[in-house]
Amino acid sequence: MYKMSAKPLIEANEIRKRVATLAREIADVYDYDILLSALTGAYMFTADLSRELAVAQGEKAYQKTIAFIKASSYGNSTTSSGQLQVRGLEKIDIKGKKILMVDDIADTGTTLLGLVNLLKESGAQEVRTCVLLNKQERREVEITADFVGFEIANEFVVGYGLDYAENYRSLPEIWTLQETD
Ligand code: 5GP
Ligand code: MG
């Protein structure tokens, strides 16, 4: 059984502020063509980030496109199966494009590295990655996200799009889930 922490790990207003500064950091250095978002976990982050990017980019925002793929590697469990499944990429014209790959969290790094490799194999001109959360301690493969919202410890988190067995996604804050006996 799992239980939510008594207080959020990251409050909604902290997330809002960091997403705005993160968008400026991205807009300052990367004039991408496509913001590619990994469903489902990154849906809330993507909605907020894309609005802040539009503010930071000014008129450049008019030409940016946004697309979604479904990447799954976790079943209904808090440990990775290590298998990456990607759906929906065939509908997106990746060739020669500069991609900003957005995901909710980099844990072992398997998902992000798998996505980057897949996009490069699909002919992307450039791929840079952005995650809301990074658990550096858990890394098992060599990948460094180019843009990171928050560094967090080795804890399982939910809320702001992130789920546990499809629950908790709509919470505006990020919470830690603790195992109970
Ligand atoms: P990785 O491939 O880096 O091990 O895992 C990435 C994926 O695992 C994320 O996109 C996310 O779906 C899931 N994941 C990893 N850590 C957490 C966590 O603390 N909470 C939740 N809800 N999902 C996580
Ligand atoms: Mg995910």
Side-chain angles (χ1 to χ4, degrees):
M1 284 288 289
Y2 288 88
K3 184 172 155 287
M4 275 166 72
S5 47
K7 280 204 315 192
L9 179 67
I10 311 174
E11 297 279 1
N13 67 330
E14 277 183 76
I15 300 173
R16 203 174 306 122
K17 279 190 261 170
R18 180 61 189 124
V19 171
T21 59
L22 186 62
R24 269 179 259 131
E25 288 167 23
I26 297 168
D28 280 351
V29 298
Y30 194 35
D31 194 14
Y32 60 85
D33 303 304
I34 307 174
L35 188 167
L36 188 60
S37 169
L39 293 171
T40 305
Y43 86 93
M44 200 176 280
F45 177 44
T46 301
D48 288 344
L49 182 68
S50 60
R51 275 181 287 206
E52 294 294 348
L53 279 166
V55 173
Q57 288 158 344
E59 288 192 8
K60 279 186 179 168
Y62 304 167
Q63 275 79 46
K64 305 282 185 252
T65 64
I66 181 155
F68 294 88
I69 52 170
K70 174 81 187 161
S72 11
S73 65
Y74 267 56
N76 285 346
S77 140
T78 57
T79 51
S80 178
S81 68
Q83 287 281 354
L84 181 64
Q85 244 189 34
V86 179
R87 276 177 287 160
L89 192 62
E90 66 286 349
K91 287 177 265 172
I92 306 161
D93 186 16
I94 297 293
K95 250 199 175 64
K97 300 283 168 53
K98 292 184 187 174
I99 311 292
L100 177 66
M101 183 69 235
V102 175
D103 205 353
D104 51 2
I105 187 165
D107 185 33
T108 65
T110 314
T111 306
L112 208 56
L113 183 65
L115 287 171
V116 169
N117 289 339
L118 192 60
L119 293 170
K120 287 183 175 162
E121 284 163 23
S122 307
Q125 185 196 322
E126 188 174 353
V127 184
R128 294 199 205 175
T129 55
C130 174
V131 290
L132 176 70
L133 305 169
N134 185 44
K135 284 192 217 172
Q136 195 57 43
E137 210 188 303
R138 291 258 308 159
R139 199 67 90 253
E140 283 173 18
V141 295
E142 210 170 307
I143 176 127
T144 308
D146 297 292
F147 307 100
V148 174
F150 299 94
E151 296 287 343
I152 63 166
N154 179 15
E155 294 176 305
F156 194 80
V157 293
V158 294
Y160 198 70
L162 291 99
D163 75 310
Y164 172 64
E166 297 301 328
N167 292 161
Y168 306 103
R169 279 199 208 278
S170 60
L171 301 177
E173 312 84 11
I174 291 173
W175 298 78
T176 304
L177 220 56
Q178 285 146 351
E179 215 166 337
T180 60
D181 34 51

